[in-house]
Amino acid sequence: MTIRTPITSTDSGGRRSSASIVALCFVTIVYDGYDLVVYGATVPSLLTYEPWQLTAGQVGTIGSHALVGMLLGALMSGWLSPRIGARAIVLGSLISFSVMMGLSAIAPSPEIFGLLRFLGGLGLGGLVPTVIALTVEYSPRSRRQFNNALMYSGYSVGGVIAALAALALLPEISFRIMYALGLLPLVTIVPLAWRLLPESLAYLVGRNQNAQARRLADKYGVELPVPAPSTTTSTGSIARVLTGRRRNSMLLFVIASFCGLLLVYGVNTWLPNIMRQAGYSLGSSLSFLLVLNLGAIVGALLAAKAADRLGSKPVTVTAFLLAVLAILSLGTGLPLYAAMVMVAVAGLGTVGTQILVNGYVATYFSDNERTSALALSLGLGRVGAILGPVLGGWIASSALGVEWNFFVFAAFAALGCLAIGLVSRSDAAVRLHSEQSLVQQPRANSPA
């Protein structure tokens, strides 16, 4: 069932800025970032929680449960988006995630805890590609990368909030309170999104609801999407990004997302524990999480601004290279202040780079392909997110030294760099020229 945009201030009154949509999507992504870092922040507490007696390998496996859910949720969103619209996906994802986080706080066993993490991941997986697509769709062309990075910086803000909460509450208070805080979306962003979040323009045009689509496009000052060919079915956009030359680019984007998400989830999950093994206290180790996510916020915004001017490809390649250098440097025994600087650079190279990859995918494909392309890149890329915590757990449980964490994560950053470097620019350039010609043609034929 379609959740229609209410006839409220969203559909009446004067012109609205895309900033309102960026702000709404920003707050939803805050909770995604919180969920990411809350698990990494509670790993040391889970390992010392006597009733469950978890090993490092078991903790890594539980960490992957939410990511399996996110993989399935992202792929489902690509299938559901042309059927029920973006509003239904965003609202349903927020509600389900929040409820599962609250239940995780009272889980009686690690098995149930892992199951609830999986179910919560289903909601988060559907949320991420949808809000990225909405942000780009309602943004001016000249600000698409920056608005996406600004919106997605909520991911790192959520990580900062989780790190600060952990510093204030752990280990004196039970780790369960950290998951109970996940109930907040039910009383914060859900009511606002229900009232103010508009429907996807591409969805409305695809459903022949052209009057509502035009009203929203005029209100937010954006272009209407170019209608998909009449032969395109509800699953056509998924098929289109997997055929022809798009298929090669889509595969490379999946590889880049695989590497980016492996870095994001592997580093955020295991950074506190790695730094403790390297000789830092729990408080200092949690501070690295804070610095990592602060570096991601500042770095991603600066890099996205550059991507709008210079293009996504060179900036994303550079960000992956910075990840390689920063991660390798952390394995050289730097003093505390230098390690903090390199962790901040690693924030750009991990979380920040994945933001750039998402923005590249969103601007590379057409309006009618965008959500499906993001669902595929983020959904299939979630295999990397699943592998990251498991890989970190395996290294922690093995006889390998702590430095192997840095070697392995740097290798995947190099692979992501290679994948983005091989993406063809020609497809995106031809598509952009075609869309600009369609937009400019009516003006050329209009009376002087």
Side-chain angles (χ1 to χ4, degrees):
M1 181 180 68
T2 302
I3 300 180
R4 297 186 180 275
T5 304
I7 306 299
T8 63
S9 58
T10 303
D11 288 300
S12 61
R15 174 72 61 89
R16 276 186 178 271
S17 167
S18 61
S20 61
I21 297 174
V22 174
L24 281 171
C25 294
F26 170 90
V27 179
T28 66
I29 288 294
V30 165
Y31 294 106
D32 182 26
Y34 181 87
D35 179 76
L36 163 67
V37 177
V38 73
Y39 191 74
T42 57
V43 161
S45 297
L46 287 169
L47 288 171
T48 59
Y49 186 56
E50 292 186 2
W52 287 359
Q53 297 183 342
L54 294 171
T55 66
Q58 288 172 325
V59 169
T61 301
I62 291 175
S64 71
H65 289 172
L67 306 175
V68 173
M70 293 182 78
L71 184 159
L72 297 176
L75 294 176
M76 287 171 59
S77 72
W79 182 79
L80 287 171
S81 181
R83 291 169 167 80
I84 65 175
R87 277 177 52 80
I89 293 175
V90 171
L91 290 167
S93 296
L94 280 170
I95 293 169
S96 64
F97 155 73
S98 185
V99 169
M100 294 307 155
M101 279 285 280
L103 293 175
S104 296
I106 58 174
S109 68
E111 292 79 16
I112 294 177
F113 180 72
L115 174 62
L116 292 169
R117 294 287 296 161
F118 165 78
L119 295 175
L122 286 174
L124 282 181
L127 181 70
V128 176
T130 308
V131 296
I132 294 172
L134 274 175
T135 298
V136 171
E137 188 175 36
Y138 279 96
S139 295
R141 290 188 183 277
S142 62
R143 286 180 57 90
R144 283 182 165 180
Q145 285 282 3
F146 182 78
N147 279 1
N148 176 64
L150 184 62
M151 178 278 296
Y152 213 82
S153 66
Y155 189 79
S156 297
V157 171
V160 169
I161 292 172
L164 290 174
L167 286 169
L169 300 173
L170 299 178
E172 287 77 12
I173 300 176
S174 172
F175 67 89
R176 294 179 182 274
I177 187 64
M178 298 289 293
Y179 295 93
L181 293 175
L183 286 166
L184 287 175
L186 288 178
V187 295
T188 54
I189 190 59
V190 169
L192 287 174
W194 177 272
R195 180 175 176 80
L196 299 175
L197 190 69
E199 185 55 88
S200 164
L201 296 174
Y203 169 77
L204 293 173
V205 170
R207 304 281 288 191
N208 294 320
Q209 297 177 21
N210 296 315
Q212 187 180 5
R214 169 56 63 189
R215 185 165 67 251
L216 285 170
D218 290 344
K219 178 168 289 296
Y220 289 95
V222 296
E223 305 161 8
L224 274 179
V226 177
S230 58
T231 56
T232 300
T233 65
S234 59
T235 58
S237 57
I238 293 179
R240 287 174 64 190
V241 301
L242 292 174
T243 57
R245 292 200 302 174
R246 288 182 180 87
R247 177 177 56 195
N248 295 332
S249 297
M250 191 71 252
L251 174 61
L252 291 168
F253 280 127
V254 168
I255 293 172
S257 287
F258 169 89
C259 296
L261 290 168
L262 184 148
L263 293 171
V264 170
Y265 283 83
V267 172
N268 272 281
T269 298
W270 287 103
L271 185 63
N273 199 63
I274 291 170
M275 291 307 181
R276 287 193 74 186
Q277 287 183 335
Y280 297 96
S281 65
L282 175 60
S284 297
S285 300
L286 290 172
S287 296
F288 280 115
L289 271 184
L290 179 61
V291 172
L292 182 82
N293 285 280
L294 287 173
I297 294 171
V298 176
L301 290 175
L302 293 175
K305 194 70 174 177
D308 277 326
R309 299 185 62 181
L310 305 175
S312 296
K313 183 174 183 175
V315 177
T316 308
V317 166
T318 301
F320 264 126
L321 285 175
L322 287 174
V324 174
L325 297 175
I327 292 171
L328 286 177
S329 70
L330 290 174
T332 61
L334 295 172
L336 178 61
Y337 71 91
M340 287 289 186
V341 172
M342 286 297 101
V343 166
V345 175
L348 164 61
T350 55
V351 179
T353 299
Q354 185 56 41
I355 292 173
L356 293 171
V357 172
N358 294 340
Y360 196 1
V361 173
T363 55
Y364 190 94
F365 293 91
S366 69
D367 295 319
N368 298 292
E369 299 167 340
R370 182 175 296 122
T371 302
S372 295
L374 284 164
L376 285 171
S377 66
L378 285 168
L380 298 179
R382 289 289 171 189
V383 176
I386 295 166
L387 179 60
V390 174
L391 188 61
W394 177 79
I395 295 173
S397 301
S398 71
L400 297 173
V402 66
E403 65 274 6
W404 275 93
N405 290 279
F406 306 114
F407 297 156
V408 171
F409 288 135
F412 280 105
L415 177 59
C417 179
L418 177 63
I420 291 296
L422 293 175
V423 172
S424 170
R425 292 186 181 185
S426 59
D427 289 349
V430 169
R431 179 184 63 74
L432 180 58
H433 174 75
S434 175
E435 289 183 355
Q436 288 175 335
S437 298
L438 286 170
V439 171
Q440 294 169 0
Q441 186 175 359
R443 297 177 182 176
N445 295 334
S446 61

PDB file of all heavy atoms in Angstrom, residues 352-376:
ATOM      1  N   GLY A 352      34.068   8.321   4.899  1.00  0.00           N
ATOM      2  CA  GLY A 352      33.984   9.372   3.895  1.00  0.00           C
ATOM      3  C   GLY A 352      34.046   8.834   2.481  1.00  0.00           C
ATOM      4  O   GLY A 352      33.320   9.301   1.586  1.00  0.00           O
ATOM      5  N   THR A 353      34.891   7.858   2.243  1.00  0.00           N
ATOM      6  CA  THR A 353      35.004   7.284   0.904  1.00  0.00           C
ATOM      7  C   THR A 353      33.723   6.573   0.501  1.00  0.00           C
ATOM      8  O   THR A 353      33.274   6.675  -0.649  1.00  0.00           O
ATOM      9  CB  THR A 353      36.187   6.308   0.843  1.00  0.00           C
ATOM     10  OG1 THR A 353      37.385   7.015   1.144  1.00  0.00           O
ATOM     11  CG2 THR A 353      36.312   5.693  -0.535  1.00  0.00           C
ATOM     12  N   GLN A 354      33.091   5.861   1.421  1.00  0.00           N
ATOM     13  CA  GLN A 354      31.843   5.183   1.086  1.00  0.00           C
ATOM     14  C   GLN A 354      30.753   6.195   0.754  1.00  0.00           C
ATOM     15  O   GLN A 354      29.908   5.949  -0.112  1.00  0.00           O
ATOM     16  CB  GLN A 354      31.405   4.268   2.234  1.00  0.00           C
ATOM     17  CG  GLN A 354      30.171   3.424   1.912  1.00  0.00           C
ATOM     18  CD  GLN A 354      30.337   2.574   0.669  1.00  0.00           C
ATOM     19  OE1 GLN A 354      31.401   1.996   0.439  1.00  0.00           O
ATOM     20  NE2 GLN A 354      29.294   2.497  -0.145  1.00  0.00           N
ATOM     21  N   ILE A 355      30.752   7.344   1.428  1.00  0.00           N
ATOM     22  CA  ILE A 355      29.807   8.402   1.083  1.00  0.00           C
ATOM     23  C   ILE A 355      30.036   8.860  -0.353  1.00  0.00           C
ATOM     24  O   ILE A 355      29.089   9.063  -1.125  1.00  0.00           O
ATOM     25  CB  ILE A 355      29.959   9.589   2.060  1.00  0.00           C
ATOM     26  CG1 ILE A 355      29.484   9.183   3.455  1.00  0.00           C
ATOM     27  CG2 ILE A 355      29.170  10.808   1.575  1.00  0.00           C
ATOM     28  CD1 ILE A 355      29.757  10.229   4.523  1.00  0.00           C
ATOM     29  N   LEU A 356      31.307   9.024  -0.741  1.00  0.00           N
ATOM     30  CA  LEU A 356      31.624   9.428  -2.101  1.00  0.00           C
ATOM     31  C   LEU A 356      31.217   8.369  -3.122  1.00  0.00           C
ATOM     32  O   LEU A 356      30.713   8.691  -4.205  1.00  0.00           O
ATOM     33  CB  LEU A 356      33.128   9.709  -2.226  1.00  0.00           C
ATOM     34  CG  LEU A 356      33.654  10.925  -1.457  1.00  0.00           C
ATOM     35  CD1 LEU A 356      35.176  10.945  -1.488  1.00  0.00           C
ATOM     36  CD2 LEU A 356      33.097  12.215  -2.040  1.00  0.00           C
ATOM     37  N   VAL A 357      31.418   7.094  -2.785  1.00  0.00           N
ATOM     38  CA  VAL A 357      30.994   6.015  -3.685  1.00  0.00           C
ATOM     39  C   VAL A 357      29.480   6.058  -3.881  1.00  0.00           C
ATOM     40  O   VAL A 357      28.978   5.949  -5.007  1.00  0.00           O
ATOM     41  CB  VAL A 357      31.437   4.640  -3.145  1.00  0.00           C
ATOM     42  CG1 VAL A 357      30.825   3.512  -3.971  1.00  0.00           C
ATOM     43  CG2 VAL A 357      32.959   4.518  -3.150  1.00  0.00           C
ATOM     44  N   ASN A 358      28.734   6.226  -2.776  1.00  0.00           N
ATOM     45  CA  ASN A 358      27.279   6.310  -2.884  1.00  0.00           C
ATOM     46  C   ASN A 358      26.854   7.482  -3.766  1.00  0.00           C
ATOM     47  O   ASN A 358      25.948   7.356  -4.600  1.00  0.00           O
ATOM     48  CB  ASN A 358      26.658   6.463  -1.497  1.00  0.00           C
ATOM     49  CG  ASN A 358      26.841   5.240  -0.623  1.00  0.00           C
ATOM     50  OD1 ASN A 358      27.103   4.145  -1.113  1.00  0.00           O
ATOM     51  ND2 ASN A 358      26.729   5.418   0.679  1.00  0.00           N
ATOM     52  N   GLY A 359      27.498   8.634  -3.566  1.00  0.00           N
ATOM     53  CA  GLY A 359      27.172   9.792  -4.383  1.00  0.00           C
ATOM     54  C   GLY A 359      27.523   9.579  -5.839  1.00  0.00           C
ATOM     55  O   GLY A 359      26.802  10.037  -6.742  1.00  0.00           O
ATOM     56  N   TYR A 360      28.625   8.904  -6.106  1.00  0.00           N
ATOM     57  CA  TYR A 360      29.028   8.602  -7.478  1.00  0.00           C
ATOM     58  C   TYR A 360      27.980   7.728  -8.159  1.00  0.00           C
ATOM     59  O   TYR A 360      27.559   7.995  -9.295  1.00  0.00           O
ATOM     60  CB  TYR A 360      30.394   7.907  -7.450  1.00  0.00           C
ATOM     61  CG  TYR A 360      31.130   7.858  -8.766  1.00  0.00           C
ATOM     62  CD1 TYR A 360      30.617   8.428  -9.931  1.00  0.00           C
ATOM     63  CD2 TYR A 360      32.380   7.246  -8.846  1.00  0.00           C
ATOM     64  CE1 TYR A 360      31.321   8.380 -11.126  1.00  0.00           C
ATOM     65  CE2 TYR A 360      33.103   7.191 -10.034  1.00  0.00           C
ATOM     66  CZ  TYR A 360      32.561   7.754 -11.167  1.00  0.00           C
ATOM     67  OH  TYR A 360      33.265   7.704 -12.347  1.00  0.00           O
ATOM     68  N   VAL A 361      27.527   6.686  -7.471  1.00  0.00           N
ATOM     69  CA  VAL A 361      26.490   5.815  -8.027  1.00  0.00           C
ATOM     70  C   VAL A 361      25.209   6.607  -8.289  1.00  0.00           C
ATOM     71  O   VAL A 361      24.582   6.483  -9.349  1.00  0.00           O
ATOM     72  CB  VAL A 361      26.197   4.635  -7.077  1.00  0.00           C
ATOM     73  CG1 VAL A 361      25.008   3.814  -7.567  1.00  0.00           C
ATOM     74  CG2 VAL A 361      27.423   3.742  -6.937  1.00  0.00           C
ATOM     75  N   ALA A 362      24.813   7.448  -7.330  1.00  0.00           N
ATOM     76  CA  ALA A 362      23.554   8.194  -7.436  1.00  0.00           C
ATOM     77  C   ALA A 362      23.559   9.170  -8.603  1.00  0.00           C
ATOM     78  O   ALA A 362      22.520   9.423  -9.216  1.00  0.00           O
ATOM     79  CB  ALA A 362      23.271   8.931  -6.133  1.00  0.00           C
ATOM     80  N   THR A 363      24.721   9.743  -8.916  1.00  0.00           N
ATOM     81  CA  THR A 363      24.794  10.706 -10.011  1.00  0.00           C
ATOM     82  C   THR A 363      25.186  10.046 -11.331  1.00  0.00           C
ATOM     83  O   THR A 363      25.032  10.660 -12.393  1.00  0.00           O
ATOM     84  CB  THR A 363      25.813  11.815  -9.685  1.00  0.00           C
ATOM     85  OG1 THR A 363      27.087  11.229  -9.362  1.00  0.00           O
ATOM     86  CG2 THR A 363      25.342  12.642  -8.497  1.00  0.00           C
ATOM     87  N   TYR A 364      25.691   8.832 -11.300  1.00  0.00           N
ATOM     88  CA  TYR A 364      26.114   8.131 -12.504  1.00  0.00           C
ATOM     89  C   TYR A 364      24.917   7.587 -13.283  1.00  0.00           C
ATOM     90  O   TYR A 364      24.892   7.641 -14.516  1.00  0.00           O
ATOM     91  CB  TYR A 364      27.055   6.992 -12.120  1.00  0.00           C
ATOM     92  CG  TYR A 364      27.762   6.316 -13.272  1.00  0.00           C
ATOM     93  CD1 TYR A 364      29.033   6.726 -13.665  1.00  0.00           C
ATOM     94  CD2 TYR A 364      27.176   5.262 -13.951  1.00  0.00           C
ATOM     95  CE1 TYR A 364      29.692   6.106 -14.710  1.00  0.00           C
ATOM     96  CE2 TYR A 364      27.833   4.634 -15.007  1.00  0.00           C
ATOM     97  CZ  TYR A 364      29.087   5.059 -15.383  1.00  0.00           C
ATOM     98  OH  TYR A 364      29.732   4.441 -16.423  1.00  0.00           O
ATOM     99  N   PHE A 365      23.920   7.077 -12.560  1.00  0.00           N
ATOM    100  CA  PHE A 365      22.762   6.466 -13.208  1.00  0.00           C
ATOM    101  C   PHE A 365      21.612   7.462 -13.314  1.00  0.00           C
ATOM    102  O   PHE A 365      21.572   8.476 -12.615  1.00  0.00           O
ATOM    103  CB  PHE A 365      22.336   5.210 -12.442  1.00  0.00           C
ATOM    104  CG  PHE A 365      23.341   4.098 -12.516  1.00  0.00           C
ATOM    105  CD1 PHE A 365      24.335   3.972 -11.557  1.00  0.00           C
ATOM    106  CD2 PHE A 365      23.324   3.191 -13.559  1.00  0.00           C
ATOM    107  CE1 PHE A 365      25.286   2.965 -11.624  1.00  0.00           C
ATOM    108  CE2 PHE A 365      24.260   2.172 -13.646  1.00  0.00           C
ATOM    109  CZ  PHE A 365      25.245   2.058 -12.676  1.00  0.00           C
ATOM    110  N   SER A 366      20.649   7.155 -14.183  1.00  0.00           N
ATOM    111  CA  SER A 366      19.535   8.064 -14.445  1.00  0.00           C
ATOM    112  C   SER A 366      18.557   8.077 -13.282  1.00  0.00           C
ATOM    113  O   SER A 366      18.628   7.249 -12.365  1.00  0.00           O
ATOM    114  CB  SER A 366      18.804   7.648 -15.726  1.00  0.00           C
ATOM    115  OG  SER A 366      18.115   6.424 -15.517  1.00  0.00           O
ATOM    116  N   ASP A 367      17.595   9.020 -13.320  1.00  0.00           N
ATOM    117  CA  ASP A 367      16.597   9.141 -12.248  1.00  0.00           C
ATOM    118  C   ASP A 367      15.837   7.843 -12.044  1.00  0.00           C
ATOM    119  O   ASP A 367      15.553   7.456 -10.905  1.00  0.00           O
ATOM    120  CB  ASP A 367      15.602  10.263 -12.592  1.00  0.00           C
ATOM    121  CG  ASP A 367      16.263  11.630 -12.619  1.00  0.00           C
ATOM    122  OD1 ASP A 367      17.097  11.891 -11.737  1.00  0.00           O
ATOM    123  OD2 ASP A 367      15.950  12.426 -13.509  1.00  0.00           O
ATOM    124  N   ASN A 368      15.488   7.163 -13.132  1.00  0.00           N
ATOM    125  CA  ASN A 368      14.684   5.948 -13.034  1.00  0.00           C
ATOM    126  C   ASN A 368      15.506   4.723 -12.650  1.00  0.00           C
ATOM    127  O   ASN A 368      14.944   3.673 -12.336  1.00  0.00           O
ATOM    128  CB  ASN A 368      13.971   5.686 -14.368  1.00  0.00           C
ATOM    129  CG  ASN A 368      13.016   6.800 -14.723  1.00  0.00           C
ATOM    130  OD1 ASN A 368      12.011   6.997 -14.068  1.00  0.00           O
ATOM    131  ND2 ASN A 368      13.350   7.569 -15.758  1.00  0.00           N
ATOM    132  N   GLU A 369      16.835   4.862 -12.701  1.00  0.00           N
ATOM    133  CA  GLU A 369      17.712   3.751 -12.346  1.00  0.00           C
ATOM    134  C   GLU A 369      18.364   3.930 -10.984  1.00  0.00           C
ATOM    135  O   GLU A 369      18.932   2.992 -10.437  1.00  0.00           O
ATOM    136  CB  GLU A 369      18.822   3.613 -13.399  1.00  0.00           C
ATOM    137  CG  GLU A 369      18.332   3.318 -14.798  1.00  0.00           C
ATOM    138  CD  GLU A 369      19.423   3.500 -15.839  1.00  0.00           C
ATOM    139  OE1 GLU A 369      20.418   4.203 -15.545  1.00  0.00           O
ATOM    140  OE2 GLU A 369      19.279   2.947 -16.939  1.00  0.00           O
ATOM    141  N   ARG A 370      18.287   5.141 -10.423  1.00  0.00           N
ATOM    142  CA  ARG A 370      19.112   5.519  -9.276  1.00  0.00           C
ATOM    143  C   ARG A 370      18.884   4.617  -8.059  1.00  0.00           C
ATOM    144  O   ARG A 370      19.838   4.085  -7.478  1.00  0.00           O
ATOM    145  CB  ARG A 370      18.836   6.979  -8.909  1.00  0.00           C
ATOM    146  CG  ARG A 370      19.677   7.488  -7.741  1.00  0.00           C
ATOM    147  CD  ARG A 370      19.427   8.961  -7.512  1.00  0.00           C
ATOM    148  NE  ARG A 370      19.845   9.759  -8.656  1.00  0.00           N
ATOM    149  CZ  ARG A 370      19.048  10.574  -9.337  1.00  0.00           C
ATOM    150  NH1 ARG A 370      17.778  10.698  -8.987  1.00  0.00           N
ATOM    151  NH2 ARG A 370      19.509  11.250 -10.356  1.00  0.00           N
ATOM    152  N   THR A 371      17.632   4.456  -7.648  1.00  0.00           N
ATOM    153  CA  THR A 371      17.367   3.667  -6.440  1.00  0.00           C
ATOM    154  C   THR A 371      17.790   2.216  -6.619  1.00  0.00           C
ATOM    155  O   THR A 371      18.364   1.602  -5.710  1.00  0.00           O
ATOM    156  CB  THR A 371      15.878   3.743  -6.065  1.00  0.00           C
ATOM    157  OG1 THR A 371      15.517   5.111  -5.870  1.00  0.00           O
ATOM    158  CG2 THR A 371      15.598   2.971  -4.787  1.00  0.00           C
ATOM    159  N   SER A 372      17.516   1.652  -7.801  1.00  0.00           N
ATOM    160  CA  SER A 372      17.899   0.266  -8.049  1.00  0.00           C
ATOM    161  C   SER A 372      19.411   0.104  -8.076  1.00  0.00           C
ATOM    162  O   SER A 372      19.945  -0.878  -7.543  1.00  0.00           O
ATOM    163  CB  SER A 372      17.303  -0.206  -9.383  1.00  0.00           C
ATOM    164  OG  SER A 372      15.896  -0.235  -9.319  1.00  0.00           O
ATOM    165  N   ALA A 373      20.119   1.070  -8.686  1.00  0.00           N
ATOM    166  CA  ALA A 373      21.579   0.992  -8.721  1.00  0.00           C
ATOM    167  C   ALA A 373      22.159   1.087  -7.308  1.00  0.00           C
ATOM    168  O   ALA A 373      23.082   0.354  -6.947  1.00  0.00           O
ATOM    169  CB  ALA A 373      22.142   2.105  -9.605  1.00  0.00           C
ATOM    170  N   LEU A 374      21.616   2.001  -6.494  1.00  0.00           N
ATOM    171  CA  LEU A 374      22.076   2.117  -5.109  1.00  0.00           C
ATOM    172  C   LEU A 374      21.745   0.865  -4.312  1.00  0.00           C
ATOM    173  O   LEU A 374      22.552   0.414  -3.477  1.00  0.00           O
ATOM    174  CB  LEU A 374      21.440   3.341  -4.454  1.00  0.00           C
ATOM    175  CG  LEU A 374      22.029   4.699  -4.855  1.00  0.00           C
ATOM    176  CD1 LEU A 374      21.091   5.826  -4.453  1.00  0.00           C
ATOM    177  CD2 LEU A 374      23.402   4.891  -4.218  1.00  0.00           C
ATOM    178  N   ALA A 375      20.560   0.303  -4.542  1.00  0.00           N
ATOM    179  CA  ALA A 375      20.176  -0.916  -3.824  1.00  0.00           C
ATOM    180  C   ALA A 375      21.122  -2.058  -4.155  1.00  0.00           C
ATOM    181  O   ALA A 375      21.521  -2.835  -3.272  1.00  0.00           O
ATOM    182  CB  ALA A 375      18.740  -1.302  -4.171  1.00  0.00           C
ATOM    183  N   LEU A 376      21.509  -2.162  -5.428  1.00  0.00           N
ATOM    184  CA  LEU A 376      22.423  -3.233  -5.822  1.00  0.00           C
ATOM    185  C   LEU A 376      23.828  -2.994  -5.280  1.00  0.00           C
ATOM    186  O   LEU A 376      24.460  -3.913  -4.742  1.00  0.00           O
ATOM    187  CB  LEU A 376      22.464  -3.345  -7.348  1.00  0.00           C
ATOM    188  CG  LEU A 376      21.243  -3.992  -8.003  1.00  0.00           C
ATOM    189  CD1 LEU A 376      21.304  -3.836  -9.511  1.00  0.00           C
ATOM    190  CD2 LEU A 376      21.160  -5.473  -7.637  1.00  0.00           C
TER     191      LEU A 376
END
